[in-house]
């Protein structure tokens, strides 16, 4: 399984403001992300990202002729908090959608999510067991996966050592805020020497002044 993390952040490392506004990247960069989506089999996001952004996670930009290729969408959501009227569940009967929950998610909640057409995977006790989710979706034929955050999911996947590639767009903006979400949240390492070491493979500057950095892990 190939796991790629993609994110847009400000120069000060934030991927959203303290109020959860994550409209950081330019149109050019959004087109790049949609092309990247076109090259993978599935896309993972955390529940807080769904609650903050209500995304569709489809491919809409960067294609001359819109075609009906859809990615499998995987939402990491311990308790099954995803709103039934979210854009993702509203389209779950047409676009393959997996909601990965834990044993803590109430049976009724699981049933309601399934009724929308989404598949519910139960993995883990308190938080979602991401290794098990990746193993399960691999069995479903997903070989290449794109992770689109947020910071907590990024930390869990990085710290498990299962990310192969990081693509990060640095926008020439500063938003500050100690409560603002950064690229990687979680507990963090206590020493820099414990941190993950990345190899910079490619840098590209976009017209908007953004830098797109490609790292291998
Ligand atoms: N700029 C960008 O590229 C970009 C991209 C994505 C998101 N964002 C922004 O990032 C913010 C959300 O990021 P976030 O860090 O707060 O949350 P997140 O990573 O989107 O979701 C984290 C939540 O997922 C659930 N979860 C279940 N199992 C988990 C596990 N094993 N590891 C980690 N999380 C697990 C937990 O909630 P439960 O316990 O309730 O399940 C956890 O609080 C939003 O404001 C969004 O707009 C920005």
């Amino acid at each position: 399984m190939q796991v790629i993390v993609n994110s847009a952040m400000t120069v000060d490392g934030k991927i959203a403001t303290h109020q959860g506004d994550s409209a950081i990247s330019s149109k050019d960069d959004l087109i790049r992300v949609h092309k990247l989506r076109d090259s993978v089999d599935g896309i993972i996001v955390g529940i807080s990202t769904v609650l903050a952004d209500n995304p569709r996670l489809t491919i809409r930009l960067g294609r001359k002729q819109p075609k009906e290729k859809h990615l499998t969408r995987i939402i990491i959501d311990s308790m099954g908090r995803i709103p039934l009227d979210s854009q993702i569940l509203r389209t779950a009967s047409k676009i393959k959608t997996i909601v990965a929950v834990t044993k803590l998610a109430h049976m009724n909640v699981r049933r309601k999510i399934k009724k929308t057409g989404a598949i519910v995977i139960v993995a883990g006790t308190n938080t979602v067991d991401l290794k098990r989710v990746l193993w399960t979706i691999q069995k479903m034929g997903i070989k290449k996966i794109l992770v689109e955050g947020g910071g907590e999911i990024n930390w869990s996947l990085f710290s498990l050592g299962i990310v192969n590639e990081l693509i990060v767009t640095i926008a020439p903006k500063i938003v500050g805020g100690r409560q603002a979400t950064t690229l990687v949240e979680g507990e963090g390492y206590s020493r820099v020497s414990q941190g993950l070491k990345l190899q910079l493979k490619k840098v590209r500057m976009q017209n908007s002044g953004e830098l797109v950095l490609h790292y291998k892990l």
Side-chain angles (χ1 to χ4, degrees):
M1 165 88 71
Q2 195 188 344
V3 180
I4 305 166
V5 171
N6 183 85
S7 197
M9 71 175 195
T10 58
V11 171
D12 51 334
K14 316 293 187 191
I15 62 167
T17 65
H18 67 89
Q19 290 217 336
D21 179 10
S22 63
I24 290 170
S25 43
S26 65
K27 181 85 190 277
D28 275 359
D29 199 54
L30 290 174
I31 292 172
R32 180 193 63 76
V33 173
H34 282 237
K35 284 183 180 160
L36 178 62
R37 287 180 182 176
D38 211 355
S39 74
V40 299
D41 307 312
I43 182 163
I44 290 186
V45 295
I47 182 60
S48 301
T49 295
V50 174
L51 295 175
D53 302 344
N54 193 16
R56 272 177 276 182
L57 305 180
T58 54
I59 307 163
R60 302 180 303 280
L61 306 172
R63 278 180 171 162
K64 288 196 184 87
Q65 299 263 304
K67 67 175 182 206
E68 280 292 304
K69 182 207 163 184
H70 287 305
L71 302 168
T72 300
R73 304 171 299 183
I74 302 120
I75 317 304
I76 308 300
D77 180 10
S78 314
M79 307 288 288
R81 289 192 290 146
I82 185 166
L84 296 173
D85 63 352
S86 58
Q87 299 220 63
I88 287 178
L89 287 190
R90 281 212 318 250
T91 51
S93 60
K94 294 196 192 85
I95 307 172
K96 193 165 176 182
T97 304
I98 296 170
V99 181
V101 301
T102 62
K103 290 174 187 159
L104 294 177
H106 200 279
M107 275 300 180
N108 251 342
V109 168
R110 295 186 208 173
R111 206 171 298 127
K112 281 182 185 161
I113 296 174
K114 277 185 197 159
K115 245 181 126 180
T116 65
I119 297 166
V120 174
I121 295 178
V122 184
T125 322
N126 294 314
T127 56
V128 176
D129 180 340
L130 294 172
K131 271 197 170 164
R132 219 160 110 209
V133 171
L134 290 189
W135 180 83
T136 309
I137 63 175
Q138 193 165 18
K139 293 254 170 243
M140 292 173 165
I142 294 177
K143 295 189 185 78
K144 197 170 169 188
I145 194 100
L146 181 63
V147 180
E148 287 198 35
E152 294 293 342
I153 290 296
N154 290 349
W155 162 255
S156 293
L157 291 167
F158 279 124
S159 59
L160 284 169
I162 45 185
V163 178
N164 308 101
E165 205 177 325
L166 167 68
I167 305 170
V168 57
T169 297
I170 304 181
K173 295 172 185 166
I174 289 176
V175 295
R178 61 178 66 85
Q179 303 297 334
T181 311
T182 64
L183 178 64
V184 183
E185 294 284 334
E187 262 177 59
Y189 299 108
S190 42
R191 305 203 64 85
V192 174
S193 57
Q194 297 171 298
L196 303 174
K197 289 166 190 71
L198 316 182
Q199 276 179 287
L200 182 63
K201 290 290 181 187
K202 197 168 97 183
V203 181
R204 195 164 64 84
M205 195 167 106
Q206 302 190 135
N207 289 338
S208 51
E210 293 165 321
L211 285 179
V212 187
L213 309 177
H214 292 245
Y215 293 97
K216 283 264 183 275
L217 280 98

